[in-house]
Amino acid sequence: MPSANQAQAKVQKLRDQMAQMQASTVEQIAQLKAEAQRKYEELQLQFKTEVAAREVEVTRKYDELQLQLQNIMKMFQQSQNRSS
C-alpha cells in the first residue's frame, strides 16, 4: 500500500498533468480562433473583391445599354423627322 507521501506525489503529478493539458487546450483553442479569424477575413476580402468586380461589370453593361437606347432613340427621331 502506498504511503501518504507517495499518494500526495501522485496527486501532485496528476494535477501537473491536468494543468499542462489545460494550458495545451487553451493554446489550441487560441490557435483555432486565430485561424478562424484569418479565414473569415480572407473570405471577407474575397467577397468584397467579387462584389467590386460585379459592380464594375454591371456598370459597364448599364452604360452599354444606355448607349444602345440613345442610338435607338436617335434612329426613331430621325425616322419621325423623315416622315414629317
Side-chain angles (χ1 to χ4, degrees):
M1 187 158 183
S3 70
N5 286 341
Q6 288 176 327
Q8 284 181 336
K10 179 124 178 140
V11 167
Q12 187 58 46
K13 183 179 178 182
L14 290 172
R15 284 184 178 155
D16 292 345
Q17 287 176 345
M18 283 178 50
Q20 287 175 345
M21 290 171 64
Q22 284 177 328
S24 175
T25 301
V26 168
E27 184 179 333
Q28 288 175 349
I29 289 171
Q31 288 174 350
L32 289 172
K33 183 179 177 183
E35 176 64 19
Q37 182 66 30
R38 186 196 64 75
K39 187 66 175 174
Y40 171 78
E41 290 169 1
E42 180 183 308
L43 289 172
Q44 281 289 98
L45 180 60
Q46 181 181 354
F47 174 74
K48 287 177 182 178
T49 302
E50 288 177 11
V51 166
R54 288 182 183 175
E55 285 177 347
V56 167
E57 181 63 17
V58 166
T59 300
R60 186 191 65 75
K61 287 183 179 182
Y62 175 81
D63 292 345
E64 185 180 294
L65 289 173
Q66 282 289 100
L67 185 59
Q68 288 178 3
L69 179 60
Q70 288 173 2
N71 288 336
I72 290 170
M73 293 299 292
K74 284 179 187 176
M75 290 183 348
F76 177 75
Q77 286 173 350
Q78 289 173 352
S79 72
Q80 290 295 314
N81 290 340
R82 287 182 194 144
S83 299
S84 305

